[in-house]
Amino acid sequence: MAQIQTVRGPIDSEQLGTTLMHEHVFVLDKEISQNYPENWGVEEKRVADAVARLNELKSRGVDTIVDLTVIGLGRYIPRIQRIAEQTRIQIIVAAGIYTYNDVPFFFHYRGPGTVLGGPELITEMFVSDIERGIADTGVRAGILKCATDEPGITPGVERILRATAQAHRRTGVPISTHTYALRRVGLEQQRIFREEGVDLSRVVIIIGHSGDTTDLDYLEELISHGSYLGMDRFGIDSILSFEDRANTVAAMCARGYAERMVLSHDAACYMHHLPERELPALLPRWHYLHIHNDVLPALKQKGVSDEQVQTMLIENPRKIFERQGAY
Ligand SMILES: [Zn+2]
């Protein structure tokens, strides 16, 4: 057993239960919502809507979600605390910075390789989130998150990946990544983590959005280097169809890799960068319940056993968090 930090405080790993490893509650741009508040609307309504959605998810048997909303995606823990107090679902929050290109301007002149130089303050911020807590909320981050998208390993992305690896080595918490799977950037992330001295064989790295591709060779290569695969965008059928996503998970299960995959949606109650009114028509199945409503029945039809489903939804998340621990 290991202790895991949730928004309501530490729990034992056995209490994690059925866990969706890559979701969001809200993704928003604070500066936009402060200056152009009409999109976000009434705070109380947003909070009530999130509570209702999470309660519904809990009623379907999900015990825990990992909210990978970090800096760049509008992380704001006091609001998540208000929501967590009103639902029985457990929420784990993350430390990290989300960018496809540059570091946030705040870090532009400070840190290694910059005009002013100095130690990597990004690492210090992540470690503080994990060990001390986020701002004055008392909530500690339970996981690290970083991103590499279509532009690949830009200087800004590389700096953040290295800071993430350093914070992982100091704290031992798992790393979960965003990738652009079609460009196989998960392998580049593994290379940088390895260069930073991360022991990939400890399997606490989740290469996220791996379910966006049907390239089984790529997926096997990621696993061979010691990572979990995040099959974590069920519902985003515009990137890859439902059939392809389900077939890929089933094929990997048939090859014996159920022990190396986790399932999730990467969904949210509100995402500022997508048109809210049109979204249900564009991506009708992109919501918290899609896995339980549609994905699990389809996987069973394709030969995935109940035991393998349990492995992906319960056992693997528990193992990922139990293997954490400082180097
Ligand atoms: Zn995400």
Side-chain angles (χ1 to χ4, degrees), residues 38-39 165 186 206 227 290:
E38 49 281 3
N39 281 314
I206 306 151
S227 296
H290 177 41

Side-chain angles (χ1 to χ4, degrees), residues 125-147:
M125 285 171 159
F126 293 169
V127 170
S128 175
D129 284 354
I130 293 161
E131 292 185 341
R132 196 186 61 79
I134 298 165
D136 60 355
T137 63
V139 174
R140 291 165 62 183
I143 193 163
L144 284 152
K145 155 86 172 287
C146 54

Side-chain angles (χ1 to χ4, degrees), residues 105-125:
F105 194 54
F106 184 84
F107 304 104
H108 188 78
Y109 295 109
R110 287 180 284 179
T114 65
V115 171
L116 297 175
E120 184 50 276
L121 63 165
I122 296 173
T123 307
E124 300 305 322
M125 285 171 159

Side-chain angles (χ1 to χ4, degrees), residues 15 51 54 57 59 85 96 112 116 118 126 179 190 219 221 234 251 258 293 295-296 316:
Q15 294 171 268
V51 169
L54 291 168
L57 185 58
S59 76
E85 281 159 14
L116 297 175
F126 293 169
T179 65
Q190 288 179 326
L219 299 180
E221 195 174 344
F234 277 104
N293 286 351
V295 176
L296 299 183
N316 293 346

